[in-house]
Amino acid sequence: MNKILPSEITPEHVYLSRRRFLASAGILAASALVGAACRRSDPLAGLPSSDYCESAKASKSTDELGDRLTECTSVISYNNFYEFSFDKDDVAQRARDFKTSPWAIEVGGLVNRPGTYDIDGLRRKFAEEERIYRMRCVEAWSMVIPWLGFPLAKLMQEVEPTSRAKYVRFETLFDPQQMPGQKDEMLSWPYVEGLRLDEAMHDFTLLATGIYGKPLLPQNGAPIRLVVPWKYGFKNIKSIAKIDLVEEMPVSFWMTASPREYGFYANVNPNVAHPRWSQSSERRIGEAGRRDTVLFNGYADQAARLYEGLDLSKFY
Ligand code: MTE
């Protein structure tokens, strides 16, 4: 796997707040030393899941554009999950004991039929399908991933949003004992994301429960996470515990952390630079060099109609 590039380091404000947090806890200097001494060459070493990819399955070896699937081992070892670590190579180890079963999702707010769903029940109720999607991180790296899951629309139809419901708000589990990053008071936990109701009802919008034919591992957002392939990866909220239908646009984790840098829509757009770096190209994990980033991450035919009338030259 390629090395992390300076251009895809942790967003500056997060990095700085993390340093303040660590410095106040008095562990910055010590952890720098330990980190340097113990940097792992294999992020999966010693994990019970280290053979996970041996039985990885996908129906195809490429996406619909002919792009090769990203290697399973990269998908499970190069992760963003700030509840566990700010270091992509370290998430798998830090999340190894995260308890993802039993797990319930509460679905409520402006709906006629609120409910609490257990994951196994959901998986039985809505037939799982494979969806091969590109995922483009706002940090300008990307992967092609064969997900397993079901359209979020199916769950929405089940709970029946009322006519007042305009948006869907998602929350990750809040459990600082298991997710030590949530003790960092510089950030506003739990992780929150949101979609407009019509985005949520789009057939491509997935609640994913697996990759490569297998249940998700903790580092990938087990047991259930969102996947919206035309948006930057940070919209794909992991380990969802709560979904509410609401009237007002939800304020996401990143909008709170850095409103100047992250907006609600976050549609992939090569023509609108991040305030600190260009979004015109990306590094596909497992490939040398860079490739051009495509508007709506290549899903314009499916998704652009949702944004007619919106000014895409603004950072949404
Ligand atoms: N969800 C939660 N709860 N916490 C996170 O830190 N990171 C996001 C997103 N979902 C994140 C999250 C970001 S920035 C990206 S790019 C993707 O998850 C990464 O998903 P992956 O690690 O499965 O590739």
Side-chain angles (χ1 to χ4, degrees):
M1 205 181 6
N2 297 347
K3 273 196 74 60
I4 304 174
L5 301 176
S7 62
E8 57 183 43
I9 50 171
T10 304
E12 187 175 51
H13 61 285
V14 175
Y15 173 75
L16 293 175
S17 77
R18 184 69 176 172
R19 283 186 74 84
R20 277 196 297 273
F21 169 69
L22 293 175
S24 66
I27 47 185
L28 199 56
S31 69
L33 285 176
V34 177
C38 301
R39 190 149 293 281
R40 285 179 199 90
S41 52
D42 175 7
L44 302 174
L47 288 181
S49 55
S50 57
D51 61 355
Y52 179 86
C53 291
E54 282 170 21
S55 52
K57 283 199 304 276
S59 65
K60 301 191 190 74
S61 56
T62 64
D63 67 7
E64 80 286 3
L65 303 178
D67 291 359
R68 264 189 305 114
L69 300 189
T70 302
E71 265 193 50
C72 174
T73 46
S74 301
V75 182
I76 67 169
S77 63
Y78 188 78
N79 301 102
N80 274 334
F81 203 167
Y82 289 113
E83 284 85 339
F84 292 103
S85 176
F86 281 55
D87 178 350
K88 291 176 181 45
D89 292 331
D90 205 26
V91 173
Q93 296 284 347
R94 302 269 171 147
R96 61 181 290 161
D97 297 323
F98 182 45
K99 196 165 174 330
T100 58
S101 173
W103 188 280
I105 305 193
E106 230 181 281
V107 189
L110 302 173
V111 296
N112 291 324
R113 292 156 44 90
T116 301
Y117 294 84
D118 112 289
I119 284 297
D120 297 330
L122 273 185
R123 295 178 73 180
R124 275 194 301 272
K125 195 176 183 73
F126 304 123
E128 277 185 334
E129 32 185 306
E130 183 196 65
R131 297 282 181 97
I132 297 176
Y133 289 152
R134 294 171 290 287
M135 182 174 78
R136 168 57 160 85
C137 180
V138 76
E139 298 164 325
W141 53 267
S142 61
M143 298 189 182
V144 184
I145 303 176
W147 300 100
L148 281 184
F150 56 88
L152 171 63
K154 289 194 180 173
L155 181 58
M156 294 293 101
Q157 280 149 9
E158 177 81 13
V159 298
E160 295 177 9
T162 69
S163 58
R164 280 174 54 214
K166 301 283 180 296
Y167 296 91
V168 188
R169 182 182 183 279
F170 306 84
E171 253 184 52
T172 294
L173 180 74
F174 184 67
D175 183 351
Q177 286 315 312
Q178 289 204 80
M179 298 169 141
Q182 291 179 336
K183 293 181 185 159
D184 182 347
E185 289 172 5
M186 301 302 296
L187 290 164
S188 170
W189 305 102
Y191 199 97
V192 169
E193 261 305 339
L195 294 175
R196 230 169 48 192
L197 187 54
D198 58 347
E199 298 177 315
M201 296 301 289
H202 193 288
D203 176 59
F204 273 38
T205 300
L206 208 65
L207 281 176
T209 53
I211 58 161
Y212 272 106
K214 309 193 61 164
L216 287 177
L217 289 171
Q219 58 266 40
N220 292 111
I224 191 160
R225 63 151 336 145
L226 185 68
V227 180
V228 190
W230 64 89
K231 292 181 178 285
Y232 289 119
F234 68 82
K235 295 295 287 184
N236 297 341
I237 179 170
K238 294 178 168 183
S239 305
I240 300 170
K242 198 161 181 288
I243 301 180
D244 282 310
L245 280 286
V246 296
E247 201 165 358
E248 305 287 323
M249 182 184 279
V251 179
S252 71
F253 178 84
W254 291 111
M255 288 163 78
T256 307
S258 189
R260 204 177 61 85
E261 296 186 315
Y262 304 105
F264 175 80
Y265 283 100
N267 294 319
V268 174
N269 189 342
N271 307 314
V272 179
H274 184 278
R276 288 182 286 127
W277 59 83
S278 161
Q279 294 291 20
S280 66
S281 70
E282 67 201 55
R283 187 170 64 88
R284 180 66 52 83
I285 300 299
E287 279 182 11
R290 297 183 76 82
R291 50 165 68 215
D292 288 343
T293 288
V294 183
L295 188 62
F296 293 114
N297 205 20
Y299 299 96
D301 287 350
Q302 291 81 16
R305 63 176 167 81
L306 295 170
Y307 309 104
E308 275 163 19
L310 272 191
D311 181 358
L312 294 175
S313 69
K314 296 217 178 96
F315 188 75
Y316 280 106

